[in-house]
Amino acid sequence: YIWNTLPRLKAMCNLADFRKMKVPFQEDYHPELDMSDLLNGSDISKYKSLIGSGNWLITLGRFDIQYAISALSQYSMAPRRGHMEALQKVYGYLQKYPSYMIPIDIAPPAIRKIASITTDQSWIEFYPDAVEATPPDMLPPLGNEAMVTVFVDADHARNQVTRRSVTGIILLVNNTPVVWISKRQSTVETSTYGSELVASRIAIDLIIEMHYKLRMLGVVLEKKTMLLGDNMSVALSTSIPSSSLKKKHLACSYHRVREAIAGGYVIYGHIPSVSNLADVGTKPLGPTTFHNLIHPFLDPKPMHLMETKEQHALLSVE
């Protein structure tokens, strides 16, 4: 799709080529602060076409451009010259890295080995009846056990005009990304803890949804899904029964996460920010950090899969 659409989009923008970029979005660019000239009617149509193609690419698996497209799509009704230039840089990045794809990987996610998890807590006093609801008409589970791992992150007050935060979530089945989310939060949170807690609640809803889908397909699920975030306060307050929350407006999100943990189908682990894949959906990152995060999941030639392919070829010859 990328190779087919790039020539058409370049011709539409009257460009000989998109300038190749190492990342899809510049770290120091805030589209909400852009005061460059407004685009005319013809250029607005071109802008919307670029946004539409970007959204389709995200659906096809290029979650590495999701933050950029999400941020720039907010200005589709009145885009400015600077927005168009930023959008063309997204396609410059795609031109430089056109072959990234999601390999189907059934291995356990390596990140699980370094996650810090609080376990063996008794929730009977707080949520005595907490349990995961399972569909009564699901298929009998068969086959190997599938692991669900979810990265969650929030960039607090990212928008410098409205001060809304951005939620980023990426869900893996085994070591394969299957769901990715990058969107503005619908409320303005006054703390990093609040924005991270809201993002965690959205992740819990996604986990419940994915569990239902997989069970209806007859998949054997690991007993506990691992939810991974880089905010230690959220990980501890939702994992330790004796903790409390004084902010009333966050109570629903707080108890939603804790109830899932008490029900025994989610565990919340803390990971370093440099290892949090969800960061690519919440903020612009520098080239080194960005590519270190996405390479294990968007590499056209993963080494462990190539080695397996070579082993199969040797077995076939023998």
Side-chain angles (χ1 to χ4, degrees):
Y1 179 82
I2 291 174
W3 284 121
N4 287 338
T5 197
L6 279 178
R8 177 179 61 83
L9 295 175
K10 284 187 285 188
M12 181 188 71
C13 296
N14 299 317
L15 295 174
D17 220 350
F18 290 116
R19 179 187 173 190
K20 292 184 178 180
M21 306 295 295
K22 291 184 178 180
V23 290
F25 208 80
Q26 301 305 298
E27 287 184 274
D28 57 352
Y29 180 62
H30 284 267
E32 68 275 13
L33 300 180
D34 195 313
M35 290 291 109
S36 57
D37 294 337
L38 290 167
L39 298 180
N40 58 36
S42 174
D43 286 340
I44 290 175
S45 296
K46 295 175 184 178
Y47 187 89
K48 290 182 177 180
S49 293
L50 291 170
I51 291 291
S53 293
N55 280 326
W56 180 235
L57 277 168
I58 294 166
T59 302
L60 291 174
R62 291 299 299 263
F63 62 82
D64 50 335
I65 67 169
Q66 188 173 24
Y67 172 78
I69 295 297
S70 175
L72 294 170
S73 65
Q74 299 170 29
Y75 307 94
S76 294
M77 299 308 296
R80 297 180 179 273
R81 186 64 54 191
H83 299 149
M84 175 63 91
E85 292 173 359
L87 188 52
Q88 289 176 357
K89 289 179 181 178
V90 177
Y91 286 90
Y93 165 79
L94 290 170
Q95 183 161 291
K96 185 174 178 64
Y97 303 101
S99 301
Y100 279 176
M101 63 188 74
I102 297 176
I104 305 300
D105 188 356
I106 62 172
I111 190 67
R112 286 176 165 233
K113 296 179 182 179
I114 66 170
S116 301
I117 301 168
T118 302
T119 58
D120 301 324
Q121 302 294 321
S122 175
W123 293 90
I124 295 177
E125 180 182 352
F126 299 91
Y127 307 97
D129 55 351
V131 65
E132 182 180 14
T134 55
D137 55 344
M138 66 182 184
L139 294 171
L142 296 172
N144 296 328
E145 185 178 73
M147 292 173 289
V148 178
T149 307
V150 181
F151 294 90
V152 63
D153 185 54
D155 189 16
H156 179 240
R158 174 68 197 174
N159 189 300
Q160 294 192 7
V161 174
T162 65
R163 285 305 177 185
R164 287 192 183 185
S165 305
V166 179
T167 292
I169 299 171
I170 296 183
L171 182 146
L172 313 180
V173 176
N174 293 329
N175 202 39
T176 305
V178 295
V179 180
W180 36 90
I181 295 173
S182 175
K183 63 179 295 185
R184 278 184 307 174
Q185 294 185 358
S186 57
T187 57
V188 178
E189 297 301 328
T190 58
S191 65
T192 300
Y193 175 87
S195 62
E196 295 273 1
L197 189 57
V198 168
S200 298
R201 189 265 303 163
I202 297 172
I204 292 296
D205 292 343
L206 181 62
I207 289 169
I208 293 171
E209 175 189 337
M210 183 55 63
H211 282 190
Y212 185 93
K213 288 180 179 179
L214 294 175
R215 287 195 171 103
M216 292 302 287
L217 291 170
V219 176
V220 180
L221 275 181
E222 184 184 30
K223 184 178 180 182
K224 293 185 179 183
T225 284
M226 188 174 290
L227 178 60
L228 301 173
D230 53 23
N231 188 285
M232 181 64 81
S233 297
V234 175
L236 290 178
S237 67
T238 55
S239 301
I240 299 176
S242 59
S243 65
S244 60
L245 179 69
K246 296 181 179 180
K247 294 184 177 181
K248 188 175 181 180
H249 77 286
L250 290 174
C252 291
S253 296
Y254 175 75
H255 288 289
R256 178 67 158 168
V257 178
R258 282 164 61 90
E259 190 175 51
I261 295 171
Y265 57 94
V266 174
I267 50 177
Y268 205 135
H270 176 262
I271 56 174
S273 183
V274 293
S275 302
N276 192 351
L277 181 60
D279 272 14
V280 302
T282 60
K283 61 180 78 70
L285 299 171
T288 301
T289 303
F290 181 80
H291 288 283
N292 285 343
L293 286 172
I294 67 170
H295 271 170
F297 305 99
L298 276 178
D299 192 337
K301 295 182 180 179
M303 288 306 298
H304 65 284
L305 294 184
M306 293 299 292
E307 290 167 1
T308 302
K309 186 182 292 185
E310 291 170 0
Q311 292 168 2
H312 288 170
L314 288 173
L315 289 173
S316 300
V317 172
E318 292 173 359

